């Protein structure tokens, strides 16, 4: 069989396209949208790092504070425990008074704090200003009742940062339901035989792959997250949308039914949500109490979807409030089933 000879310039174009594709394979792991604020006040260096400018509802976000001061100063970090503005603090690490080498060889000390934050509302959510205090170091031999020279004390304050918190209710964000890239690009078709088809095909393929890579980076694969965590995030998102009156009672009940049927389907070994009848029948055999709790909500969702019967807002509100207890029961059931399977 005769091998096709490359036209002048085609080999160079193909090599360039392959280089672009190689960059797409290598670069997704790089955090391109982290936020860094840095302040310097003489020998004092104050740095704030936020892991991402955008996150999903209930998705962990890392915030780091680092303060480097001369050895004759000490730092008082803020006493942050449960929340930071509208963000819940789910984890906290602190390192204090560590030795730190600087370029000019002077002795410095370092204070560091990392917060893991989660937010249960969507939209632009602000991380408020954070203040740290610097003051003269007190030696161990110094009496506690000796007043601090507050003229030498100071404070450093970060600027508020707005973080985009995205919904997870979209089907495109569900790792179990991948979707093709929207708005596929049609490649030009040359009806007459021509040896110039290769550049157009390669360019079109590169454009599609670039769009796909960007789409995948924005969606962020959720593989590896447990059914429990994924369901709780979706319910938290649903509650946020309901409280903001962005959903009707019918939409709320149908989405709530979908979340629970997704989880039940997973426990049944299915790759997608099961029907209400299948879910209730399986639960009746596995745990009748859970079946009794979920039956009214699942039945109402079917009535909304198939019979055009509207759900009262009071029902949607009540079932959302009960969902935390229902998910606790389902999580215990899932753990029990996993233990029985291992026995």
């Amino acid at each position: 069989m005769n091998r096709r000879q490359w036209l002048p310039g085609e080999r160079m174009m193909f090599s360039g396209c392959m280089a672009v594709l190689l960059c797409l394979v290598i670069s997704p792991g790089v955090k391109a949208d982290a936020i860094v604020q840095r302040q310097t006040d003489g020998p004092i260096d104050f740095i704030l790092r936020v892991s991402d400018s955008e996150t999903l509802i209930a998705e962990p976000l890392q915030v780091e504070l680092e303060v480097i001061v001369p050895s004759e100063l000490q730092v008082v970090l803020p006493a942050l425990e449960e929340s930071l503005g509208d963000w819940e603090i789910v984890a906290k690490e602190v390192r204090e008074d560590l030795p730190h080498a600087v370029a000019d060889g002077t002795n410095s000390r370092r204070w560091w704090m990392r917060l893991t934050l989660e937010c249960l509302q969507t939209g632009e959510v602000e991380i408020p200003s954070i203040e740290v205090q610097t003051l003269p170091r007190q030696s161990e031999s110094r009496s506690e009742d000796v007043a601090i020279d507050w003229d030498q004390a100071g404070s450093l304050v970060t600027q508020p940062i707005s973080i985009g918190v995205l919904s997870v209710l979209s089907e495109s964000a569900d790792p179990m339901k991948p979707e093709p890239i929207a708005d596929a690009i049609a490649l030009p078709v040359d009806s007459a035989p021509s040896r110039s088809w290769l550049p157009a095909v390669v360019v079109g393929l590169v454009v599609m792959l670039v769009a796909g890579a960007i789409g995948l980076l924005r969606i962020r694969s959720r593989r590896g997250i447990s059914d429990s965590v994924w369901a709780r995030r979706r319910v938290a998102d649903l509650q946020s949308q309901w409280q903001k009156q962005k959903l009707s009672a019918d939409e709320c009940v149908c989405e709530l039914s979908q979340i629970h049927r997704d989880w039940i389907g997973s426990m049944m070994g299915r790759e997608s949500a099961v029907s209400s009848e299948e879910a209730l029948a399986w639960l009746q055999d596995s745990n009748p109490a859970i079946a009794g709790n979920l039956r009214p909500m699942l039945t109402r969702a079917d009535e909304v979807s198939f019979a055009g019967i509207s759900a009262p807002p009071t029902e949607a509100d009540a079932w959302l409030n009960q969902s935390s207890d229902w998910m606790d029961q389902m999580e215990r059931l899932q753990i029990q089933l996993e233990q029985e399977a291992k026995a």
Side-chain angles (χ1 to χ4, degrees):
M1 182 182 293
N2 294 329
R3 297 182 62 182
R4 180 185 180 277
Q5 298 296 319
W6 292 91
L7 292 175
E10 290 183 347
R11 184 180 299 277
M12 183 178 297
M13 177 177 293
F14 183 77
S15 300
C17 293
M18 294 307 296
V20 171
L21 297 181
L22 182 60
C23 290
L24 290 177
V25 172
I26 295 175
S27 61
V30 178
K31 276 283 187 182
D33 47 2
I35 299 173
V36 179
Q37 288 185 10
R38 186 164 195 158
Q39 302 177 38
T40 55
D41 184 4
I44 300 174
D45 203 4
F46 182 34
I47 306 167
L48 171 70
R49 302 181 183 91
V50 182
S51 60
D52 210 338
S53 60
E54 192 173 82
T55 187
L56 293 176
I57 190 169
E59 173 80 1
L61 184 76
Q62 302 291 333
V63 174
E64 291 185 11
L65 280 174
E66 183 179 27
V67 189
I68 300 170
V69 299
S71 57
E72 63 268 18
L73 294 179
Q74 62 185 21
V75 175
V76 179
L77 296 172
L80 302 172
E81 297 298 337
E82 296 183 356
S83 63
L84 179 61
D86 292 324
W87 297 82
E88 179 186 357
I89 300 175
V90 297
K92 177 181 175 182
E93 298 177 66
V94 178
R95 304 287 185 271
E96 296 184 312
D97 208 6
L98 302 173
H100 182 79
V102 293
D104 60 5
T106 57
N107 293 325
S108 297
R109 310 295 291 185
R110 175 175 176 263
W111 274 256
W112 174 87
M113 177 169 64
R114 174 186 289 160
L115 303 174
T116 301
L117 308 179
E118 290 185 0
C119 186
L120 297 181
Q121 57 179 284
T122 55
E124 294 296 319
V125 183
E126 185 179 88
I127 297 177
S129 299
I130 303 175
E131 181 179 7
V132 300
Q133 300 285 335
T134 61
L135 60 151
R137 182 178 295 274
Q138 292 178 284
S139 65
E140 294 180 359
S141 61
R142 182 173 178 175
S143 173
E144 293 184 359
D145 58 358
V146 175
I148 296 175
D149 184 0
W150 290 105
D151 290 337
Q152 299 183 44
S155 65
L156 299 164
V157 183
T158 66
Q159 297 297 317
I161 296 175
S162 183
I163 303 295
V165 182
L166 307 179
S167 169
V168 298
L169 294 182
S170 170
E171 290 293 328
S172 63
D174 190 336
M176 303 302 295
K177 301 180 178 65
E179 294 183 359
I181 302 170
D183 302 322
I185 302 172
L187 299 178
V189 178
D190 191 352
S191 57
S194 172
R195 302 183 68 185
S196 62
W197 59 269
L198 181 61
V201 171
V202 172
V203 171
L205 178 61
V206 169
V207 171
M208 292 179 67
L209 290 175
V210 170
I214 294 173
L216 290 175
L217 287 174
R218 302 295 292 179
I219 292 173
R220 302 177 181 178
S221 174
R222 293 293 142 214
R223 300 186 189 279
I225 293 181
S226 68
D227 293 333
S228 171
V229 172
W230 187 250
R232 291 179 190 278
R233 289 181 182 178
R234 293 176 68 187
V235 170
D237 195 354
L238 186 62
Q239 288 175 322
S240 175
Q241 301 295 320
W242 172 252
Q243 290 169 359
K244 294 177 181 178
Q245 299 182 345
K246 293 184 177 181
L247 297 174
S248 67
D250 290 352
E251 293 169 330
C252 187
V253 171
C254 289
E255 181 62 37
L256 190 61
S257 170
Q258 177 77 28
I259 293 169
H260 285 84
R261 288 186 290 107
D262 278 339
W263 192 354
I264 295 168
S266 177
M267 286 193 282
M268 294 172 63
R270 306 287 184 85
E271 294 184 356
S272 60
V274 295
S275 67
S276 297
E277 291 80 4
E278 291 174 315
L280 291 172
W282 182 83
L283 283 174
Q284 189 65 39
D285 292 336
S286 304
N287 191 312
I290 301 179
N293 290 336
L294 293 182
R295 189 181 305 277
M297 183 270 294
L298 295 177
T299 302
R300 176 67 75 192
D302 286 349
E303 291 174 346
V304 170
S305 299
F306 305 116
I309 300 175
S310 294
T314 52
E315 285 186 348
D317 201 43
W319 288 330
L320 276 175
N321 292 333
Q322 295 172 25
S323 283
S324 178
D325 292 336
W326 293 345
M327 288 187 292
D328 288 342
Q329 296 171 21
M330 289 179 62
E331 188 171 13
R332 288 193 292 270
L333 174 60
Q334 187 166 28
I335 293 172
Q336 174 190 333
L337 294 174
E338 289 172 354
Q339 291 175 343
E340 290 175 354
K342 295 177 181 178

